[in-house]
Amino acid sequence: MPNTAEILIDTLIEWDVSVVFGLPGDGINGIMEALRTRQDKIRFIQVRHEESAAFMATAYAKWTGKLGVCLATSGPGGTHLLTGLYDAKLDGAPVLAITGMQFHDLIETFTQQDVDLTKVFSDVAVFNAQVSDAAHMENLAGLACRSALARQGVAHLSIASDVQEQPLDQSRRSRRNRPHHTPDQWFKGTLHADPEQMEKAANILNAADKVAILAGRGALGARAELEEIADLLGAPVAKALLGKGVLPDNHPHTTGGIGILGTLPSQEIMEQCDALLIVGSTFPYIEYYPKPGTCRSVQIDRDAQRIGLRQRVDAGLVGDAATTLRLLAKKLRRKSDRSFLQFAQRRMSEWRAMMKASESKDDMPLKPQYVVRAFGEAFPDNAVIAADSGQNTELVARHIDMKKDQAFSVSGALASMACGLPYAIAAGIAFPDRPIFAVVGDGGLAMQLGEFSTAVRYKIPVKILVIRNNMLNQIAWEQMMFLGNPQFACELQPIDFALAAQAMGGIGYSVTRPEEVNGVLDAAFASEGPAIIEAVVDAYEPMMPPRMPREYRENMRKALPKTAGHEEIETNLRREPLKTMMG
């Protein structure tokens, strides 16, 4: 007769879950035993920190579209999951979090690790339950999986340690709880947009002279349909960060990223368009959308709640991106006037020339753009790329061009540091036959550096480029640009990441000079197993928006004289392309 933990793990197997990320603990010993006895059907990936387990489950869900699962013990084990789970919540990734609890009759008695995790998870979870016994688990396990997938969010099950080991025949089943009355099956449907809204959307787009498209993560499975729509409308396509892989960066219709990490052409098409089509994106920075009253907008999203979230929308199409775009294309007339697209293409050519100027500088200290461009150019066509949050995100967004068959992800709306390495490890688990790469900052990598040993343990051949400037560089520039305050408390104690990689059984490389870059990258890419490539770069290289707003410029001038290293910063700002971007 199966016990509660065995019912849970058997249910996960029925739901096609093949991997669970977590860390053992005495509050989940029953679940760990159920996993041990089913190793041939479901894999347990042991992490060094529960936060990483949640990041990995979230990333696994993003990479594959499947349910991600993480497991943590009671008390602090469960609370450690929260940051990674908020990443899932804000980016709409289906994740099941399983946590232990103390003995069921000692809950709320101030016993050790007595934390009511259902209360703790009440904000992050779309489904949140404490399991009372094995018969209850029969109902809840499948429902939790279904809820996470249906609502594209976090489901949480909390199970007391003694309840985990309770056999099914010892449950006091109520007369209404018939055994096996719920199916362990996911019923997926396709939403179709309202016909009236579809007609309205087509009329708006057909009537417009300058259509711009903003594509996000929701458009990742709709590349062909997006290309057709962009061609019909003669529309340039800006990409939100999570949509970086929607179109290759060399595609004739794309203007690259949008926002403070984006390109000037993307900003310009938003300023000049008279119609905007938003596909699968709720890009959060409202100031980069068209100004109110300057254009009409159409939005496609599978979640009706997100329609009109950032931009006033004239037609809202609730549905799957690919299906909706196919239906919309049938109602659109091909625009003969391609002047708006041609304008965007000219401006994009100029922008690329500016970026090339920054990427080709072989100055000392080593420029981060130089090494990141070289890193990205060496990727195979089927590479999977993860980034962390910080200045390294801007470097990836601008200086690594995505190819057609490559994949990219990052902590999007949460923008959490320490996500890059767990994301890369999850990619290695999800895609064992694809090459895995990550670009991270020294601040974010230090937070979860121990997970490099996880990559070593599971033989994930990830190549990690760490931008080492001994600085929380994005925060430093935000202090100066946003508020006009001198940089404060952003300096980091140096870490030798190459030596740390070797200490954990991996391979470590360090590069400090431009002429060393290609040789080090060749050696790292040829090596087996996980490797860290530490690039010691110029800490005074500014992170700039595509066009510096007057307020930011004035704040910078106010903050610089009181900022350590301001002479070096001012020297960099006098050089192109920073001089032009500074205005």
Side-chain angles (χ1 to χ4, degrees), residues 318-392:
V318 180
D320 169 76
T323 302
T324 305
L325 288 171
R326 281 196 296 270
L327 294 172
L328 182 60
K330 296 177 181 178
K331 297 179 178 295
L332 296 178
R333 299 189 296 271
R334 180 179 172 80
K335 294 188 183 296
S336 57
D337 183 356
R338 319 300 274 185
S339 58
F340 188 51
L341 175 61
Q342 291 163 358
F343 160 79
Q345 290 169 337
R346 286 196 304 272
R347 296 295 286 154
M348 197 59 194
S349 178
E350 294 165 6
W351 174 263
R352 288 193 179 103
M354 284 179 59
M355 292 300 100
K356 188 173 182 180
S358 69
E359 295 161 356
S360 59
K361 286 183 180 177
D362 54 2
D363 308 351
M364 282 293 295
L366 178 63
K367 299 300 181 184
Q369 301 95 324
Y370 183 94
V371 67
V372 170
R373 167 58 74 174
F375 189 56
E377 285 181 341
F379 292 167
D381 290 347
N382 65 337
V384 182
I385 305 113
D388 212 290
S389 294
Q391 188 183 24
N392 67 90

Side-chain angles (χ1 to χ4, degrees), residues 14-51:
E14 286 291 321
W15 280 82
D16 196 31
V17 172
S18 58
V19 61
V20 175
F21 302 94
L23 189 64
D26 63 353
I28 51 172
N29 278 338
I31 297 170
M32 292 304 302
E33 176 62 10
L35 286 166
R36 185 190 70 81
T37 56
R38 290 157 176 77
Q39 295 179 69
D40 58 331
K41 297 178 181 177
I42 190 166
R43 190 180 183 191
F44 180 73
I45 301 296
Q46 183 213 76
V47 302
R48 290 302 185 105
H49 194 292
E50 291 93 348
E51 180 181 291

Side-chain angles (χ1 to χ4, degrees), residues 54-214:
F55 273 131
M56 290 179 196
T58 299
Y60 185 88
K62 288 183 183 179
W63 293 126
T64 65
K66 296 180 178 180
L67 181 67
V69 181
C70 54
L71 172 64
T73 192
S74 54
T79 59
H80 284 161
L81 293 175
L82 279 173
T83 299
L85 295 180
Y86 270 103
D87 186 32
K89 174 184 176 176
L90 295 185
D91 283 351
V95 170
L96 172 62
I98 304 164
T99 61
M101 292 184 72
Q102 289 307 305
F103 289 98
H104 80 280
D105 54 357
L106 293 179
I107 294 169
E108 302 291 359
T109 67
F110 307 104
T111 191
Q112 187 181 36
Q113 297 188 341
D114 192 4
V115 178
D116 187 342
L117 291 171
T118 55
K119 290 180 181 177
V120 173
F121 283 43
S122 61
D123 180 64
V124 77
V126 298
F127 181 87
N128 187 16
Q130 180 180 334
V131 181
S132 61
D133 61 14
H136 196 204
M137 180 63 87
E138 279 193 331
N139 299 334
L140 289 183
L143 181 57
C145 297
R146 185 177 294 108
S147 298
L149 289 163
R151 300 179 66 181
Q152 294 293 292
V154 176
H156 171 232
L157 292 176
S158 190
I159 315 149
S161 57
D162 57 327
V163 169
Q164 295 168 29
E165 300 178 65
Q166 181 192 70
L168 182 59
D169 60 3
Q170 291 183 17
S171 296
R172 299 184 64 181
R173 186 186 297 272
S174 69
R175 61 178 179 270
R176 286 186 176 174
N177 183 17
R178 293 182 176 178
H180 312 300
H181 71 266
T182 59
D184 286 327
Q185 186 178 351
W186 167 233
F187 301 98
K188 185 178 180 180
T190 301
L191 285 174
H192 289 274
D194 177 72
E196 184 177 334
Q197 290 295 312
M198 182 72 74
E199 200 67 37
K200 191 174 183 180
N203 290 337
I204 291 169
L205 297 172
N206 282 328
D209 295 318
K210 298 177 179 179
V211 180
I213 296 174
L214 171 59

Side-chain angles (χ1 to χ4, degrees), residues 214-492:
L214 171 59
R217 176 171 167 259
L220 285 176
R223 177 181 294 171
E225 293 81 1
L226 185 66
E227 287 178 315
E228 181 184 10
I229 289 281
D231 180 61
L232 285 169
L233 297 173
V237 180
K239 299 184 292 184
L241 183 62
L242 288 178
K244 183 172 173 62
V246 168
L247 293 177
D249 278 306
N250 65 356
H251 195 283
H253 277 269
T254 189
T255 55
I258 187 172
I260 196 168
L261 310 178
T263 71
L264 183 57
S266 288
Q267 188 168 337
E268 290 173 333
I269 66 171
M270 293 295 153
E271 294 168 346
Q272 299 182 27
C273 67
D274 58 3
L276 174 63
L277 173 60
I278 305 169
V279 185
S281 177
T282 50
F283 170 71
Y285 297 99
I286 295 173
E287 62 269 29
Y288 287 96
Y289 286 82
K291 291 182 179 179
T294 61
C295 80
R296 305 185 75 190
S297 299
V298 175
Q299 185 173 354
I300 299 171
D301 204 289
R302 66 185 178 197
D303 185 352
Q305 186 183 37
R306 291 178 173 260
I307 299 287
L309 193 60
R310 313 292 184 207
Q311 174 83 358
R312 187 179 182 87
V313 167
D314 299 280
L317 306 180
V318 180
D320 169 76
T323 302
T324 305
L325 288 171
R326 281 196 296 270
L327 294 172
L328 182 60
K330 296 177 181 178
K331 297 179 178 295
L332 296 178
R333 299 189 296 271
R334 180 179 172 80
K335 294 188 183 296
S336 57
D337 183 356
R338 319 300 274 185
S339 58
F340 188 51
L341 175 61
Q342 291 163 358
F343 160 79
Q345 290 169 337
R346 286 196 304 272
R347 296 295 286 154
M348 197 59 194
S349 178
E350 294 165 6
W351 174 263
R352 288 193 179 103
M354 284 179 59
M355 292 300 100
K356 188 173 182 180
S358 69
E359 295 161 356
S360 59
K361 286 183 180 177
D362 54 2
D363 308 351
M364 282 293 295
L366 178 63
K367 299 300 181 184
Q369 301 95 324
Y370 183 94
V371 67
V372 170
R373 167 58 74 174
F375 189 56
E377 285 181 341
F379 292 167
D381 290 347
N382 65 337
V384 182
I385 305 113
D388 212 290
S389 294
Q391 188 183 24
N392 67 90
T393 324
E394 177 248 355
L395 292 167
V396 171
R398 287 183 176 166
H399 301 290
I400 290 183
D401 284 345
M402 293 290 296
K403 298 175 184 176
K404 183 177 68 171
D405 296 321
Q406 293 175 344
F408 168 79
S409 197
V410 67
S411 173
L414 188 65
S416 175
M417 293 174 66
C419 71
L421 179 52
Y423 266 59
I425 292 171
I429 299 297
F431 309 121
D433 299 323
R434 295 180 67 174
I436 312 297
F437 302 90
V439 179
V440 301
D442 47 0
L445 181 59
M447 289 181 174
Q448 293 288 1
L449 182 57
E451 296 303 346
F452 185 74
S453 68
T454 304
V456 172
R457 175 175 184 166
Y458 294 103
K459 298 180 174 58
I460 296 169
V462 58
K463 312 306 177 191
I464 302 159
L465 175 65
V466 54
I467 305 301
R468 180 180 153 187
N469 47 31
N470 304 319
M471 180 78 74
L472 295 170
N473 227 23
Q474 181 169 338
I475 304 303
W477 294 109
E478 288 174 347
Q479 287 176 347
M480 290 186 275
M481 287 192 302
F482 293 174
L483 296 176
N485 297 330
Q487 180 275 117
F488 175 69
C490 293
E491 300 92 344
L492 297 172

